[in-house]
mmCIF file of all heavy atoms in Angstrom:
data_model
loop_
_atom_site.group_PDB
_atom_site.id
_atom_site.type_symbol
_atom_site.label_atom_id
_atom_site.label_comp_id
_atom_site.label_asym_id
_atom_site.label_seq_id
_atom_site.Cartn_x
_atom_site.Cartn_y
_atom_site.Cartn_z
ATOM 1 N N ARG A 107 -6.930 -16.425 -4.293
ATOM 2 C CA ARG A 107 -6.413 -15.104 -4.628
ATOM 3 C C ARG A 107 -7.433 -14.058 -4.234
ATOM 4 O O ARG A 107 -8.630 -14.307 -4.143
ATOM 5 C CB ARG A 107 -6.101 -15.018 -6.118
ATOM 6 C CG ARG A 107 -4.984 -15.970 -6.520
ATOM 7 C CD ARG A 107 -4.667 -15.822 -7.958
ATOM 8 N NE ARG A 107 -4.133 -14.486 -8.199
ATOM 9 C CZ ARG A 107 -2.907 -14.239 -8.624
ATOM 10 N NH1 ARG A 107 -2.091 -15.233 -8.844
ATOM 11 N NH2 ARG A 107 -2.497 -13.017 -8.830
ATOM 12 N N GLY A 108 -6.925 -12.851 -4.007
ATOM 13 C CA GLY A 108 -7.797 -11.766 -3.595
ATOM 14 C C GLY A 108 -8.682 -11.252 -4.707
ATOM 15 O O GLY A 108 -8.420 -11.464 -5.878
ATOM 16 N N ARG A 109 -9.760 -10.607 -4.290
ATOM 17 C CA ARG A 109 -10.670 -9.975 -5.235
ATOM 18 C C ARG A 109 -10.453 -8.471 -5.118
ATOM 19 O O ARG A 109 -10.236 -7.957 -4.041
ATOM 20 C CB ARG A 109 -12.116 -10.297 -4.871
ATOM 21 C CG ARG A 109 -12.392 -11.770 -4.878
ATOM 22 C CD ARG A 109 -13.798 -12.035 -4.377
ATOM 23 N NE ARG A 109 -13.958 -13.462 -4.168
ATOM 24 C CZ ARG A 109 -15.121 -14.043 -4.073
ATOM 25 N NH1 ARG A 109 -16.218 -13.346 -4.158
ATOM 26 N NH2 ARG A 109 -15.194 -15.338 -3.878
ATOM 27 N N HIS A 110 -10.543 -7.773 -6.223
ATOM 28 C CA HIS A 110 -10.364 -6.322 -6.208
ATOM 29 C C HIS A 110 -11.604 -5.687 -5.583
ATOM 30 O O HIS A 110 -12.573 -5.393 -6.256
ATOM 31 C CB HIS A 110 -10.132 -5.797 -7.619
ATOM 32 C CG HIS A 110 -8.841 -6.254 -8.196
ATOM 33 N ND1 HIS A 110 -7.629 -5.723 -7.799
ATOM 34 C CD2 HIS A 110 -8.548 -7.193 -9.105
ATOM 35 C CE1 HIS A 110 -6.662 -6.310 -8.463
ATOM 36 N NE2 HIS A 110 -7.194 -7.221 -9.260
ATOM 37 N N THR A 111 -11.568 -5.473 -4.274
ATOM 38 C CA THR A 111 -12.696 -4.899 -3.556
ATOM 39 C C THR A 111 -12.469 -3.407 -3.350
ATOM 40 O O THR A 111 -13.340 -2.597 -3.623
ATOM 41 C CB THR A 111 -12.890 -5.599 -2.203
ATOM 42 O OG1 THR A 111 -12.987 -7.006 -2.438
ATOM 43 C CG2 THR A 111 -14.131 -5.117 -1.502
ATOM 44 N N THR A 112 -11.288 -3.038 -2.861
ATOM 45 C CA THR A 112 -10.950 -1.626 -2.681
ATOM 46 C C THR A 112 -10.587 -1.072 -4.049
ATOM 47 O O THR A 112 -9.726 -1.607 -4.736
ATOM 48 C CB THR A 112 -9.756 -1.472 -1.705
ATOM 49 O OG1 THR A 112 -10.099 -2.089 -0.463
ATOM 50 C CG2 THR A 112 -9.416 -0.014 -1.479
ATOM 51 N N THR A 113 -11.271 0.014 -4.443
ATOM 52 C CA THR A 113 -11.068 0.548 -5.785
ATOM 53 C C THR A 113 -10.344 1.888 -5.808
ATOM 54 O O THR A 113 -9.965 2.366 -6.861
ATOM 55 C CB THR A 113 -12.418 0.710 -6.507
ATOM 56 O OG1 THR A 113 -13.251 1.561 -5.714
ATOM 57 C CG2 THR A 113 -13.083 -0.642 -6.717
ATOM 58 N N ARG A 114 -10.159 2.500 -4.629
ATOM 59 C CA ARG A 114 -9.458 3.782 -4.589
ATOM 60 C C ARG A 114 -8.717 3.925 -3.267
ATOM 61 O O ARG A 114 -9.018 3.237 -2.290
ATOM 62 C CB ARG A 114 -10.430 4.931 -4.778
ATOM 63 C CG ARG A 114 -11.403 5.099 -3.618
ATOM 64 C CD ARG A 114 -12.413 6.206 -3.942
ATOM 65 N NE ARG A 114 -13.142 6.634 -2.776
ATOM 66 C CZ ARG A 114 -14.144 5.978 -2.224
ATOM 67 N NH1 ARG A 114 -14.534 4.825 -2.723
ATOM 68 N NH2 ARG A 114 -14.768 6.461 -1.178
ATOM 69 N N ARG A 115 -7.736 4.817 -3.261
ATOM 70 C CA ARG A 115 -7.012 5.097 -2.014
ATOM 71 C C ARG A 115 -7.928 5.893 -1.100
ATOM 72 O O ARG A 115 -8.675 6.764 -1.557
ATOM 73 C CB ARG A 115 -5.748 5.917 -2.315
ATOM 74 C CG ARG A 115 -4.723 5.141 -3.095
ATOM 75 C CD ARG A 115 -3.514 5.991 -3.413
ATOM 76 N NE ARG A 115 -3.830 7.146 -4.242
ATOM 77 C CZ ARG A 115 -3.891 7.138 -5.562
ATOM 78 N NH1 ARG A 115 -3.659 6.033 -6.220
ATOM 79 N NH2 ARG A 115 -4.189 8.233 -6.229
ATOM 80 N N GLU A 116 -7.855 5.571 0.182
ATOM 81 C CA GLU A 116 -8.684 6.301 1.135
ATOM 82 C C GLU A 116 -7.928 6.464 2.439
ATOM 83 O O GLU A 116 -7.263 5.538 2.913
ATOM 84 C CB GLU A 116 -10.002 5.556 1.359
ATOM 85 C CG GLU A 116 -11.077 6.451 1.896
ATOM 86 C CD GLU A 116 -12.475 5.871 1.724
ATOM 87 O OE1 GLU A 116 -12.653 4.914 0.945
ATOM 88 O OE2 GLU A 116 -13.382 6.375 2.396
ATOM 89 N N LEU A 117 -8.020 7.649 3.021
ATOM 90 C CA LEU A 117 -7.293 8.009 4.231
ATOM 91 C C LEU A 117 -8.246 8.029 5.419
ATOM 92 O O LEU A 117 -9.339 8.591 5.329
ATOM 93 C CB LEU A 117 -6.687 9.404 4.017
ATOM 94 C CG LEU A 117 -5.525 9.850 4.844
ATOM 95 C CD1 LEU A 117 -4.354 8.887 4.736
ATOM 96 C CD2 LEU A 117 -5.085 11.249 4.400
ATOM 97 N N PHE A 118 -7.827 7.396 6.541
ATOM 98 C CA PHE A 118 -8.679 7.319 7.732
ATOM 99 C C PHE A 118 -7.887 7.742 8.971
ATOM 100 O O PHE A 118 -6.730 7.333 9.131
ATOM 101 C CB PHE A 118 -9.157 5.878 7.969
ATOM 102 C CG PHE A 118 -9.973 5.315 6.849
ATOM 103 C CD1 PHE A 118 -9.386 4.521 5.865
ATOM 104 C CD2 PHE A 118 -11.337 5.577 6.767
ATOM 105 C CE1 PHE A 118 -10.123 3.996 4.838
ATOM 106 C CE2 PHE A 118 -12.084 5.046 5.732
ATOM 107 C CZ PHE A 118 -11.485 4.255 4.763
ATOM 108 N N PRO A 119 -8.510 8.512 9.868
ATOM 109 C CA PRO A 119 -7.848 8.824 11.141
ATOM 110 C C PRO A 119 -7.893 7.590 12.059
ATOM 111 O O PRO A 119 -8.904 6.894 12.116
ATOM 112 C CB PRO A 119 -8.684 9.968 11.726
ATOM 113 C CG PRO A 119 -9.997 9.898 11.012
ATOM 114 C CD PRO A 119 -9.781 9.197 9.712
ATOM 115 N N THR A 120 -6.788 7.309 12.732
ATOM 116 C CA THR A 120 -6.730 6.155 13.632
ATOM 117 C C THR A 120 -7.010 6.606 15.066
ATOM 118 O O THR A 120 -6.898 7.788 15.377
ATOM 119 C CB THR A 120 -5.341 5.491 13.586
ATOM 120 O OG1 THR A 120 -4.380 6.373 14.169
ATOM 121 C CG2 THR A 120 -4.952 5.120 12.162
ATOM 122 N N PRO A 121 -7.325 5.670 15.948
ATOM 123 C CA PRO A 121 -7.562 6.021 17.349
ATOM 124 C C PRO A 121 -6.313 6.569 18.041
ATOM 125 O O PRO A 121 -6.401 7.183 19.098
ATOM 126 C CB PRO A 121 -7.983 4.704 18.009
ATOM 127 C CG PRO A 121 -8.162 3.721 16.926
ATOM 128 C CD PRO A 121 -7.564 4.270 15.684
ATOM 129 N N TRP A 122 -5.140 6.365 17.433
ATOM 130 C CA TRP A 122 -3.882 6.779 18.051
ATOM 131 C C TRP A 122 -3.429 8.161 17.600
ATOM 132 O O TRP A 122 -2.370 8.636 17.996
ATOM 133 C CB TRP A 122 -2.798 5.742 17.773
ATOM 134 C CG TRP A 122 -3.218 4.364 18.178
ATOM 135 C CD1 TRP A 122 -3.521 3.938 19.442
ATOM 136 C CD2 TRP A 122 -3.398 3.251 17.330
ATOM 137 N NE1 TRP A 122 -3.890 2.624 19.435
ATOM 138 C CE2 TRP A 122 -3.819 2.155 18.130
ATOM 139 C CE3 TRP A 122 -3.254 3.036 15.962
ATOM 140 C CZ2 TRP A 122 -4.080 0.902 17.620
ATOM 141 C CZ3 TRP A 122 -3.517 1.780 15.452
ATOM 142 C CH2 TRP A 122 -3.931 0.741 16.281
ATOM 143 N N GLY A 123 -4.192 8.804 16.698
ATOM 144 C CA GLY A 123 -3.857 10.166 16.286
ATOM 145 C C GLY A 123 -3.291 10.279 14.885
ATOM 146 O O GLY A 123 -3.327 11.347 14.284
ATOM 147 N N GLY A 124 -2.741 9.218 14.349
ATOM 148 C CA GLY A 124 -2.187 9.254 12.999
ATOM 149 C C GLY A 124 -3.232 8.878 11.969
ATOM 150 O O GLY A 124 -4.413 8.705 12.288
ATOM 151 N N LEU A 125 -2.786 8.746 10.731
ATOM 152 C CA LEU A 125 -3.669 8.397 9.632
ATOM 153 C C LEU A 125 -3.211 7.093 8.996
ATOM 154 O O LEU A 125 -2.011 6.803 8.958
ATOM 155 C CB LEU A 125 -3.649 9.499 8.567
ATOM 156 C CG LEU A 125 -4.078 10.890 9.027
ATOM 157 C CD1 LEU A 125 -3.760 11.923 7.946
ATOM 158 C CD2 LEU A 125 -5.559 10.907 9.354
ATOM 159 N N VAL A 126 -4.178 6.332 8.474
ATOM 160 C CA VAL A 126 -3.851 5.113 7.733
ATOM 161 C C VAL A 126 -4.437 5.254 6.331
ATOM 162 O O VAL A 126 -5.573 5.686 6.158
ATOM 163 C CB VAL A 126 -4.356 3.827 8.435
ATOM 164 C CG1 VAL A 126 -5.864 3.818 8.593
ATOM 165 C CG2 VAL A 126 -3.867 2.590 7.698
ATOM 166 N N LEU A 127 -3.603 4.926 5.334
ATOM 167 C CA LEU A 127 -4.010 5.005 3.943
ATOM 168 C C LEU A 127 -4.233 3.591 3.430
ATOM 169 O O LEU A 127 -3.310 2.787 3.378
ATOM 170 C CB LEU A 127 -2.909 5.688 3.112
ATOM 171 C CG LEU A 127 -3.129 5.769 1.608
ATOM 172 C CD1 LEU A 127 -4.314 6.678 1.280
ATOM 173 C CD2 LEU A 127 -1.868 6.283 0.930
ATOM 174 N N ASP A 128 -5.479 3.292 3.079
ATOM 175 C CA ASP A 128 -5.802 1.992 2.484
ATOM 176 C C ASP A 128 -5.709 2.152 0.977
ATOM 177 O O ASP A 128 -6.149 3.154 0.418
ATOM 178 C CB ASP A 128 -7.211 1.557 2.897
ATOM 179 C CG ASP A 128 -7.490 0.097 2.561
ATOM 180 O OD1 ASP A 128 -6.541 -0.640 2.226
ATOM 181 O OD2 ASP A 128 -8.665 -0.308 2.651
ATOM 182 N N THR A 129 -5.102 1.177 0.325
ATOM 183 C CA THR A 129 -4.877 1.260 -1.116
ATOM 184 C C THR A 129 -5.420 0.019 -1.808
ATOM 185 O O THR A 129 -5.504 -1.044 -1.203
ATOM 186 C CB THR A 129 -3.370 1.367 -1.428
ATOM 187 O OG1 THR A 129 -2.718 0.195 -0.940
ATOM 188 C CG2 THR A 129 -2.766 2.600 -0.800
ATOM 189 N N PRO A 130 -5.760 0.142 -3.098
ATOM 190 C CA PRO A 130 -6.146 -1.056 -3.857
ATOM 191 C C PRO A 130 -4.947 -1.989 -3.982
ATOM 192 O O PRO A 130 -3.813 -1.579 -3.764
ATOM 193 C CB PRO A 130 -6.548 -0.509 -5.228
ATOM 194 C CG PRO A 130 -6.715 0.947 -5.060
ATOM 195 C CD PRO A 130 -5.847 1.347 -3.903
ATOM 196 N N GLY A 131 -5.203 -3.218 -4.354
ATOM 197 C CA GLY A 131 -4.115 -4.183 -4.520
ATOM 198 C C GLY A 131 -3.121 -3.744 -5.574
ATOM 199 O O GLY A 131 -3.476 -3.101 -6.551
ATOM 200 N N MET A 132 -1.866 -4.084 -5.343
ATOM 201 C CA MET A 132 -0.803 -3.718 -6.262
ATOM 202 C C MET A 132 -0.413 -4.923 -7.101
ATOM 203 O O MET A 132 -0.354 -6.030 -6.598
ATOM 204 C CB MET A 132 0.419 -3.244 -5.477
ATOM 205 C CG MET A 132 0.139 -2.009 -4.687
ATOM 206 S SD MET A 132 1.494 -1.556 -3.607
ATOM 207 C CE MET A 132 2.895 -1.710 -4.651
ATOM 208 N N ARG A 133 -0.096 -4.688 -8.352
ATOM 209 C CA ARG A 133 0.376 -5.766 -9.217
ATOM 210 C C ARG A 133 1.883 -5.919 -9.100
ATOM 211 O O ARG A 133 2.414 -6.990 -9.256
ATOM 212 C CB ARG A 133 0.011 -5.470 -10.667
ATOM 213 C CG ARG A 133 -1.471 -5.522 -10.890
ATOM 214 C CD ARG A 133 -1.769 -5.158 -12.331
ATOM 215 N NE ARG A 133 -3.150 -4.727 -12.462
ATOM 216 C CZ ARG A 133 -4.133 -5.519 -12.809
ATOM 217 N NH1 ARG A 133 -3.922 -6.764 -13.046
ATOM 218 N NH2 ARG A 133 -5.347 -5.050 -12.912
ATOM 219 N N GLU A 134 2.582 -4.799 -8.851
ATOM 220 C CA GLU A 134 4.029 -4.877 -8.824
ATOM 221 C C GLU A 134 4.571 -3.800 -7.896
ATOM 222 O O GLU A 134 4.073 -2.686 -7.859
ATOM 223 C CB GLU A 134 4.586 -4.666 -10.235
ATOM 224 C CG GLU A 134 6.082 -4.712 -10.312
ATOM 225 C CD GLU A 134 6.581 -4.549 -11.734
ATOM 226 O OE1 GLU A 134 6.007 -3.749 -12.487
ATOM 227 O OE2 GLU A 134 7.551 -5.230 -12.080
ATOM 228 N N LEU A 135 5.586 -4.134 -7.157
ATOM 229 C CA LEU A 135 6.291 -3.190 -6.306
ATOM 230 C C LEU A 135 7.759 -3.349 -6.640
ATOM 231 O O LEU A 135 8.317 -4.438 -6.541
ATOM 232 C CB LEU A 135 6.045 -3.511 -4.823
ATOM 233 C CG LEU A 135 6.766 -2.637 -3.811
ATOM 234 C CD1 LEU A 135 6.260 -1.203 -3.904
ATOM 235 C CD2 LEU A 135 6.550 -3.164 -2.410
ATOM 236 N N GLN A 136 8.379 -2.267 -7.095
ATOM 237 C CA GLN A 136 9.777 -2.365 -7.478
ATOM 238 C C GLN A 136 10.666 -1.819 -6.380
ATOM 239 O O GLN A 136 10.308 -0.891 -5.668
ATOM 240 C CB GLN A 136 10.038 -1.586 -8.763
ATOM 241 C CG GLN A 136 9.414 -2.223 -9.960
ATOM 242 C CD GLN A 136 9.784 -1.495 -11.230
ATOM 243 O OE1 GLN A 136 10.108 -0.321 -11.215
ATOM 244 N NE2 GLN A 136 9.739 -2.197 -12.333
ATOM 245 N N LEU A 137 11.844 -2.402 -6.289
ATOM 246 C CA LEU A 137 12.840 -1.926 -5.355
ATOM 247 C C LEU A 137 13.430 -0.637 -5.889
ATOM 248 O O LEU A 137 13.478 -0.426 -7.079
ATOM 249 C CB LEU A 137 13.959 -2.966 -5.224
ATOM 250 C CG LEU A 137 13.534 -4.334 -4.726
ATOM 251 C CD1 LEU A 137 14.688 -5.312 -4.873
ATOM 252 C CD2 LEU A 137 13.104 -4.242 -3.288
ATOM 253 N N TRP A 138 13.932 0.201 -5.016
ATOM 254 C CA TRP A 138 14.627 1.373 -5.499
ATOM 255 C C TRP A 138 16.105 1.160 -5.261
ATOM 256 O O TRP A 138 16.782 0.547 -6.036
ATOM 257 C CB TRP A 138 14.081 2.643 -4.851
ATOM 258 C CG TRP A 138 14.735 3.855 -5.422
ATOM 259 C CD1 TRP A 138 15.449 4.792 -4.768
ATOM 260 C CD2 TRP A 138 14.756 4.251 -6.809
ATOM 261 N NE1 TRP A 138 15.921 5.732 -5.644
ATOM 262 C CE2 TRP A 138 15.512 5.425 -6.902
ATOM 263 C CE3 TRP A 138 14.240 3.712 -7.971
ATOM 264 C CZ2 TRP A 138 15.751 6.090 -8.099
ATOM 265 C CZ3 TRP A 138 14.476 4.369 -9.171
ATOM 266 C CH2 TRP A 138 15.218 5.540 -9.222
ATOM 267 N N ASP A 139 16.641 1.595 -4.148
ATOM 268 C CA ASP A 139 18.070 1.418 -3.898
ATOM 269 C C ASP A 139 18.211 0.381 -2.799
ATOM 270 O O ASP A 139 18.405 0.715 -1.646
ATOM 271 C CB ASP A 139 18.699 2.750 -3.487
ATOM 272 C CG ASP A 139 20.196 2.639 -3.333
ATOM 273 O OD1 ASP A 139 20.770 1.639 -3.797
ATOM 274 O OD2 ASP A 139 20.797 3.544 -2.734
ATOM 275 N N ALA A 140 18.112 -0.883 -3.164
ATOM 276 C CA ALA A 140 18.037 -1.945 -2.164
ATOM 277 C C ALA A 140 19.298 -2.767 -2.028
ATOM 278 O O ALA A 140 19.315 -3.732 -1.301
ATOM 279 C CB ALA A 140 16.869 -2.868 -2.505
ATOM 280 N N GLY A 141 20.366 -2.405 -2.732
ATOM 281 C CA GLY A 141 21.589 -3.204 -2.702
ATOM 282 C C GLY A 141 22.057 -3.530 -1.294
ATOM 283 O O GLY A 141 22.244 -4.683 -0.930
ATOM 284 N N GLU A 142 22.238 -2.496 -0.474
ATOM 285 C CA GLU A 142 22.688 -2.715 0.897
ATOM 286 C C GLU A 142 21.609 -3.387 1.738
ATOM 287 O O GLU A 142 21.916 -4.160 2.629
ATOM 288 C CB GLU A 142 23.104 -1.380 1.532
ATOM 289 C CG GLU A 142 24.373 -0.823 0.932
ATOM 290 C CD GLU A 142 24.755 0.517 1.535
ATOM 291 O OE1 GLU A 142 24.287 0.831 2.648
ATOM 292 O OE2 GLU A 142 25.515 1.245 0.885
ATOM 293 N N GLY A 143 20.347 -3.096 1.441
ATOM 294 C CA GLY A 143 19.252 -3.705 2.189
ATOM 295 C C GLY A 143 19.184 -5.202 1.976
ATOM 296 O O GLY A 143 18.927 -5.955 2.909
ATOM 297 N N VAL A 144 19.431 -5.645 0.741
ATOM 298 C CA VAL A 144 19.423 -7.080 0.446
ATOM 299 C C VAL A 144 20.570 -7.743 1.197
ATOM 300 O O VAL A 144 20.398 -8.797 1.810
ATOM 301 C CB VAL A 144 19.527 -7.348 -1.078
ATOM 302 C CG1 VAL A 144 19.710 -8.828 -1.364
ATOM 303 C CG2 VAL A 144 18.278 -6.839 -1.778
ATOM 304 N N GLU A 145 21.737 -7.106 1.183
ATOM 305 C CA GLU A 145 22.887 -7.656 1.900
ATOM 306 C C GLU A 145 22.600 -7.768 3.394
ATOM 307 O O GLU A 145 22.949 -8.768 4.021
ATOM 308 C CB GLU A 145 24.121 -6.782 1.667
ATOM 309 C CG GLU A 145 24.643 -6.855 0.250
ATOM 310 C CD GLU A 145 25.726 -5.820 -0.038
ATOM 311 O OE1 GLU A 145 26.229 -5.182 0.916
ATOM 312 O OE2 GLU A 145 26.056 -5.657 -1.216
#
């Protein structure tokens, strides 16, 4: 299992011009309106 190394969200510029947001590990991610997506 992973270790909690990243402790805060951090934003970085990428070589392609956009940004990437690194986040700490999540315990739970809930679906929102996924009925049609599951189908």
Side-chain angles (χ1 to χ4, degrees):
R107 296 182 65 116
R109 300 174 190 198
H110 293 285
T111 306
T112 303
T113 57
R114 67 184 194 283
R115 293 178 298 274
E116 201 162 345
L117 201 56
F118 299 96
T120 68
W122 306 297
L125 301 169
V126 61
L127 176 66
D128 192 12
T129 61
M132 297 173 46
R133 292 177 201 265
E134 179 178 39
L135 178 65
Q136 290 185 335
L137 300 170
W138 184 239
D139 185 15
E142 290 178 20
V144 172
E145 291 171 11

